[in-house]
Amino acid sequence: MTLRDTFLAPLLASIPTGIWAFSSGRLRNPYIFTLGTVVKDPPGTSPRMSDILAGDPARHGTVKLLEQTADPKAWGQAVDWWCMKTNAIFARVSDITEFTDHNDDGVYLPELHLMWLMDTLETFKRVAEVANSWHSAFGTTLTTYTALDLIAETWHGTRDMAQLVEPKMVSDALSRVRASIPIPLHPILLPAAEAAGRAPGLIFDGFFQSRQRESDTVDIVLPPSQKGSKPRREQWSKKTAIQKLVRARRNATHGFVGKPHSDPYLHVLTQHNGKLPSEFAMLPYLHLLDILCSPDELLDAAIPRSISKFLPRKQN
């Protein structure tokens, strides 16, 4: 694999309120030029992430610049850190010895290897596309869903992307990247990640019931379980409410007409204001940063898991 712009684009969007670096192609390799500061777009330019954030319909605080670094070397060091961590992923997913059938004398599995190469590329591409599609709030949201889908299934072994929006999982990921990334690089690499850390709470605030203002639970009214019975009330935890709402919003991309009873919890959509804050779109970047901070730990579990799923089950 080659470190092209696709793998660098999420890095260049780490401070969504402006531009701090850009890449330029030279022969077969990209060169990154850092500016040593954050330059904001002038008024009247085409919409960028900073414009959408400023006009967030939810009117919440969005991405905030961290305390500016005083070390001019930190900008280049942030690029070095990103490239070294990306290379660590390349070293694992490019190694053919990783993708073998250990139950059959180490037979190489080229199809699975190709899948991993494609999924690794797609992970970076989708996270980068979120940062590049802010001219359309709808497009940004759809791309966020696809990025979280891929990260959840490939890197975490779950087909439920809503798990990546749960408060504890988001908080744990943010804590890991804070601890792993050198402190001088925090103002450069963490603004979007810090914003993502606020996403679960802002999503939860959108539920209509006032109970969530006083505790981390919300009362949800569900339809009758059988004809003639009364509507049901359930008290959901913050984790459950966010997970079911995000899963329903994600599934809305497929449509619901003709299958209204496929998920009894779709009614959660009627009890939320329907607004996903801009911070929601920062979650793929946070989870990519978490992957970069500990690629070996994740791949040590993810690759064997994918091999076991890829190989046919043995007949008894």
Side-chain angles (χ1 to χ4, degrees):
M1 302 186 77
T2 305
L3 187 61
R4 298 293 177 86
D5 283 346
T6 296
F7 298 100
L8 299 172
L11 165 67
L12 303 183
S14 64
I15 306 179
T17 52
I19 299 171
W20 65 273
F22 63 92
S23 68
S24 177
R26 293 290 187 275
L27 298 178
R28 297 187 60 185
N29 300 308
Y31 283 69
I32 296 182
F33 298 88
T34 61
L35 305 178
T37 187
V38 179
V39 178
K40 295 185 178 180
D41 294 330
T45 58
S46 58
R48 276 177 44 84
M49 193 180 295
S50 54
D51 302 313
I52 302 296
L53 293 173
D56 181 9
R59 297 184 179 179
H60 296 300
T62 51
V63 176
K64 299 178 177 63
L65 289 178
L66 305 185
E67 183 178 349
Q68 194 67 284
T69 177
D71 184 358
K73 294 181 180 179
W75 302 94
Q77 290 170 352
V79 176
D80 290 341
W81 182 91
W82 185 277
C83 292
M84 293 300 294
K85 291 295 185 177
T86 305
N87 188 62
I89 295 177
F90 289 177
R92 293 290 301 272
V93 300
S94 298
D95 184 356
I96 65 173
T97 64
E98 293 274 4
F99 305 95
T100 58
D101 182 356
H102 300 297
N103 297 320
D104 191 14
D105 297 326
V107 174
Y108 177 47
L109 305 172
E111 297 90 347
L112 179 63
H113 191 185
L114 178 60
M115 292 177 188
W116 262 99
L117 293 173
M118 294 175 64
D119 279 0
T120 301
L121 174 64
E122 279 295 314
T123 299
F124 282 83
K125 285 180 66 175
R126 294 185 191 187
V127 175
E129 188 58 30
V130 172
N132 293 326
S133 61
W134 285 84
H135 59 282
S136 166
F138 179 71
T140 300
T141 303
L142 289 183
T143 309
T144 300
Y145 291 144
T146 65
L148 292 175
D149 276 337
L150 184 61
I151 293 172
E153 186 164 7
T154 299
W155 299 90
H156 294 281
T158 174
R159 301 191 68 177
D160 184 9
M161 53 75 66
Q163 291 186 16
L164 299 187
V165 192
E166 292 176 2
K168 187 177 187 307
M169 191 156 189
V170 171
S171 176
D172 288 349
L174 184 57
S175 296
R176 286 191 295 269
V177 300
R178 283 172 177 164
S180 178
I181 296 174
I183 292 177
L185 307 186
H186 283 197
I188 304 168
L189 297 176
L190 287 189
E194 293 283 358
R198 298 189 290 273
L202 296 175
I203 294 172
F204 188 69
D205 287 346
F207 283 96
F208 294 130
Q209 284 79 2
S210 61
R211 184 182 182 88
Q212 82 271 17
R213 301 294 179 183
E214 303 173 1
S215 69
D216 284 342
T217 60
V218 60
D219 290 334
I220 298 293
V221 180
L222 297 173
S225 56
Q226 57 186 5
K227 188 175 182 180
S229 61
K230 295 182 178 180
R232 297 170 292 142
R233 280 187 175 271
E234 291 186 4
Q235 189 177 98
W236 287 358
S237 67
K238 187 175 185 179
K239 169 186 173 180
T240 300
I242 293 172
Q243 186 180 40
K244 292 188 182 300
L245 175 74
V246 171
R247 186 185 301 124
R249 288 292 301 270
R250 182 264 182 205
N251 289 342
T253 61
H254 304 306
F256 297 122
V257 175
K259 45 186 178 182
H261 304 296
S262 59
D263 184 349
Y265 296 110
L266 290 180
H267 296 272
V268 69
L269 294 172
T270 67
Q271 298 170 66
H272 189 269
N273 63 19
K275 297 176 181 177
L276 292 176
S278 296
E279 288 86 345
F280 175 69
M282 309 292 171
L283 286 168
Y285 174 78
L286 169 61
H287 288 295
L288 174 59
L289 207 57
D290 189 28
I291 293 170
L292 289 170
C293 286
S294 54
D296 287 329
E297 180 179 344
L298 284 168
L299 288 170
D300 284 346
I303 293 178
R305 180 172 58 237
S306 65
I307 292 175
S308 64
K309 290 182 178 180
F310 179 79
L311 294 174
R313 293 184 179 181
K314 293 184 177 180
Q315 300 292 331
N316 294 328

